[in-house]
Amino acid sequence: MTTALLFPGQGSQAVGMGAALADAFASAREVFAEVDQALGQDLSGLMRDGPENQLTLTENAQPALMAVSLAVVRVLDRDFGVAVDRASFVAGHSLGEYSALAASGALALADTARLLKLRGQAMQRAVPVGRGAMASLIGPKTDLALAEAAAQAGSALGVCVVANDNNAGNIVISGDKAAVDRAIEKAKELGARAIPLNVSAPFHCPLMQPAADEMAQALSSAPITAPRLPVVANVTARPETDPETLRRLLVEQVTGRVRWRESMEWLASEGGVTRFVEVGSGKVLTGMAKRIAPGAESLALNTPDDLEAFAKEVASGE
């Protein structure tokens, strides 16, 4: 069975995330302690106890989600003998790409935590609160052509682009608030439902260029090595292994489209993936995988029981 590990993005955070792993495994506690030390912050305490409004802040949610994902990876390796390179590919949704790079050994855990903290802060600084907006276009008529048409209509009033091509029936647009509002109207005319998202900034659009500039500077000195297995990048929707290419794509990703549907389609077809395993908090990517590649097995590893069952399955050769 050919496996791809998937790493979730912002929105999958929740108070209590990682607590069961920390209670059950010393190796998970080690990951959380390393992240806390790297950030000089009791992030693990915030993850366990909240408050939710602090955990949801971009600068906290991003390293927190990575920490839970890497705790799962370390527990699988140390406690169950399932190394990350038992998989054939890794991929992460937006910030999850950093988790994928850390899991595959391209980035050190402490460096990843610091980069994500900065990424969250830089994204928040890039656009004044209230200027930007994002909206999810959903429904059976929602496809990339409809979303592009809606974004084009919004562009008459400012920046408006497709930010996340998640799967057919779930596409996110981002940009100036007035432009996104116009795009929402157009999307509804075209037969889609449109839901404004409760986000603090318009991610993955040209308004994020100041954040991309900050990340370019930070990433220029970050040690990035060749990953142990290919990383399917958001920007290209193709597997990448060259450290300098990965560095450049992390910068481009800040303003660029998350090409998740295409990434998953490549994995299922060209990559021959027959099992998608979501690693970390939540099950958002598992749901997407089932819609994009219904012929493949899809599962999420959230709890100690999930990890034990998965390890037994791997050991039996299933």
Side-chain angles (χ1 to χ4, degrees):
M1 183 173 287
T2 303
T3 299
L5 302 181
L6 308 179
F7 296 84
Q10 201 160 339
S12 291
Q13 70 277 354
V15 173
M17 59 194 288
L21 293 173
D23 291 343
F25 303 105
S27 51
R29 295 193 294 274
E30 289 173 8
V31 170
F32 297 145
E34 288 177 43
V35 171
D36 285 352
Q37 184 174 7
L39 299 180
Q41 173 187 3
D42 184 17
L43 184 65
S44 58
L46 179 61
M47 290 157 55
R48 181 183 284 270
D49 300 321
E52 184 178 7
N53 65 336
Q54 290 298 307
L55 179 61
T56 303
L57 289 175
T58 302
E59 65 177 85
N60 292 327
Q62 295 199 18
L65 286 161
M66 181 277 299
V68 176
S69 290
L70 269 292
V72 171
V73 169
R74 190 172 293 186
V75 169
L76 283 174
D77 186 17
R78 298 268 184 91
D79 296 88
F80 294 107
V82 179
V84 70
D85 50 14
R86 295 288 289 269
S88 298
F89 302 95
V90 291
H93 192 282
S94 190
L95 80 90
E97 192 158 289
Y98 284 79
S99 307
L101 288 165
S104 63
L107 277 171
L109 177 61
D111 290 337
T112 309
R114 286 189 287 263
L115 285 167
L116 283 173
K117 184 76 170 180
L118 173 63
R119 185 176 184 266
Q121 293 170 335
M123 287 178 156
Q124 196 60 64
R125 284 192 290 263
V127 180
V129 174
R131 177 187 168 187
M134 299 182 76
S136 181
L137 310 184
I138 59 176
K141 292 187 177 181
T142 300
D143 58 14
L144 187 57
L146 182 150
E148 293 278 21
Q152 181 63 35
S155 294
L157 297 179
V159 171
C160 188
V161 299
V162 173
N164 299 356
D165 180 10
N166 289 327
N167 57 257
N170 177 2
I171 299 176
V172 177
I173 57 174
S174 179
D176 286 297
K177 186 177 187 309
V180 170
D181 288 344
R182 172 67 65 84
I184 287 173
E185 294 174 6
K186 182 64 174 180
K188 290 178 178 177
E189 290 175 13
L190 295 172
R193 291 176 57 205
I195 302 173
L197 299 180
N198 183 21
V199 294
S200 57
F203 305 129
H204 298 292
C205 82
L207 295 176
M208 287 285 109
Q209 188 58 49
D213 294 341
E214 284 196 56
M215 292 310 299
Q217 183 174 355
L219 285 161
S220 68
S221 58
I224 300 178
T225 59
R228 289 162 62 187
L229 60 169
V231 180
V232 177
N234 287 183
V235 171
T236 63
R238 293 294 183 272
E240 309 288 352
T241 57
D242 176 67
E244 294 312 308
T245 300
L246 291 166
R247 190 188 311 274
R248 173 177 56 81
L249 293 176
L250 286 176
V251 177
E252 293 181 14
Q253 185 218 59
V254 177
T255 57
R257 179 181 301 177
V258 177
R259 296 169 61 187
W260 193 251
R261 175 185 56 81
E262 294 173 76
S263 297
M264 295 291 289
E265 287 174 349
W266 187 93
L267 285 164
S269 56
E270 301 298 316
V273 170
T274 53
R275 176 170 58 191
F276 292 100
V277 180
E278 184 171 4
V279 179
S281 179
K283 300 181 180 181
V284 171
L285 300 184
T286 303
M288 291 183 190
K290 289 177 178 178
R291 289 187 285 273
I292 299 169
E297 179 186 356
S298 299
L299 65 147
L301 302 183
N302 300 139
T303 69
D305 287 346
D306 293 338
L307 272 64
E308 184 175 3
F310 178 70
K312 286 180 178 177
E313 183 179 321
V314 171
S316 69
E318 295 179 8

